[in-house]
Amino acid sequence: MSCSQSGLAPQYNIHSPRINNTVLQTMLKTTTHNTMHNNLKAADPTTFNDIFTQLQQHYGHLPWWPADTEYEMMVGAILTQNTNWKNVEKALANLAGKFTPPQILAMPVDTLAQLIRSSGYYNQKATKHHHLSAIPCFAG
């Protein structure tokens, strides 16, 4: 069972926080597709869910992250914070063969920190990876 199926992933609905007008206007200005711009402008969506739904209808499903599982996607998301993808690739290469939640949990945090050192803020990220790996739907 994936984390989203278990209810642990965040769910966005009509009660989600509203997007302020400045953020919405910035999104509208930066789009390169006039159709999408006009649809968003005409509908004047104000919630994240409204915007997400319209973007998904316009673009369809986009494989936006190079990961095979939700866990790999979240590990990559932690590694990319405050660094560039080149440094993340180095950290992922160091983690090759040690990339499952049980393997991460079995590894001392200091060892993990040294493996992901290239990604920056490695001590904090190592702790975050341990916490992520301990989530029941990943830890098994």
Side-chain angles (χ1 to χ4, degrees), residues 33-53:
H33 298 276
N34 288 334
T35 304
M36 190 65 210
H37 175 84
N38 292 337
N39 287 346
L40 281 171
K41 190 173 180 180
D44 192 27
T46 55
T47 65
F48 175 81
N49 196 47
D50 294 336
I51 294 169
F52 178 80
T53 300

